Amino acid sequence: MLPHQFFKLLSDETRVRCLMLIMREECLSVGELTQALQESQPKISRHLAQLRSSGILVDVRQGQWVFYRRAPLLPGWMNKLIDDLVASSCLKTQYQQDIERLHTMQARPVCCQ
């Protein structure tokens, strides 16, 4: 993926929010992201499919659950940009409610990793 394609992919707020939560937690299900972002399951699934088809995320199927995590072979520049984005203090504040909703979710599924 070229840099302009990567930045275009991250031009959507829902994809950025999904990516940030997945990077923070390492592995999240569609249901967890739906709850944390307070968006519909089809919308979350569509954005995750775009991140997966671009090679940024991979899916892990475990029974009825589908979990998403960072693709293992991303280029170094892409890993650095994603890590810097997640570490950004202004974005942590901006998306703190997503993190709080995720952490207060009851009976979260466990990814086998």
Side-chain angles (χ1 to χ4, degrees), residues 6-24 33 37 47-48 51 82 85-86 91 94-95 98:
F6 175 73
F7 289 113
K8 189 173 184 178
L9 187 67
L10 294 184
S11 67
D12 182 89
E13 183 183 15
T14 301
R15 285 192 291 273
V16 170
R17 291 168 69 196
C18 285
L19 186 62
M20 288 187 63
L21 281 174
I22 291 168
M23 295 305 120
R24 284 180 55 86
L33 289 163
L37 276 60
H47 287 293
L48 291 170
L51 290 165
I82 291 170
L85 182 66
V86 172
L91 289 178
Q94 184 72 21
Y95 300 120
D98 294 344

Side-chain angles (χ1 to χ4, degrees), residues 72-83:
L73 300 176
L74 292 178
W77 66 268
M78 199 179 292
N79 276 322
K80 179 168 178 13
L81 287 170
I82 291 170
D83 291 341

Side-chain angles (χ1 to χ4, degrees), residues 2-108:
L2 295 172
H4 75 278
Q5 295 166 319
F6 175 73
F7 289 113
K8 189 173 184 178
L9 187 67
L10 294 184
S11 67
D12 182 89
E13 183 183 15
T14 301
R15 285 192 291 273
V16 170
R17 291 168 69 196
C18 285
L19 186 62
M20 288 187 63
L21 281 174
I22 291 168
M23 295 305 120
R24 284 180 55 86
E25 301 292 321
E26 294 184 14
C27 187
L28 288 175
S29 70
V30 175
E32 290 172 300
L33 289 163
T34 299
Q35 178 74 26
L37 276 60
Q38 295 187 322
E39 298 285 355
S40 70
Q41 182 272 324
K43 180 177 182 175
I44 296 296
S45 292
R46 180 172 35 92
H47 287 293
L48 291 170
Q50 289 176 301
L51 290 165
R52 188 187 69 237
S53 69
S54 70
I56 294 174
L57 298 178
V58 294
D59 60 343
V60 178
R61 298 186 185 276
Q62 182 179 324
Q64 68 182 24
W65 300 101
V66 179
F67 294 92
Y68 289 85
R69 64 186 334 167
R70 181 192 310 229
L73 300 176
L74 292 178
W77 66 268
M78 199 179 292
N79 276 322
K80 179 168 178 13
L81 287 170
I82 291 170
D83 291 341
D84 288 349
L85 182 66
V86 172
S88 171
S89 60
C90 69
L91 289 178
K92 282 182 186 174
T93 303
Q94 184 72 21
Y95 300 120
Q96 186 62 36
Q97 287 182 332
D98 294 344
I99 296 164
E100 290 170 5
R101 282 190 296 268
L102 178 65
H103 289 169
T104 59
M105 185 178 170
Q106 300 292 319
R108 287 177 56 190

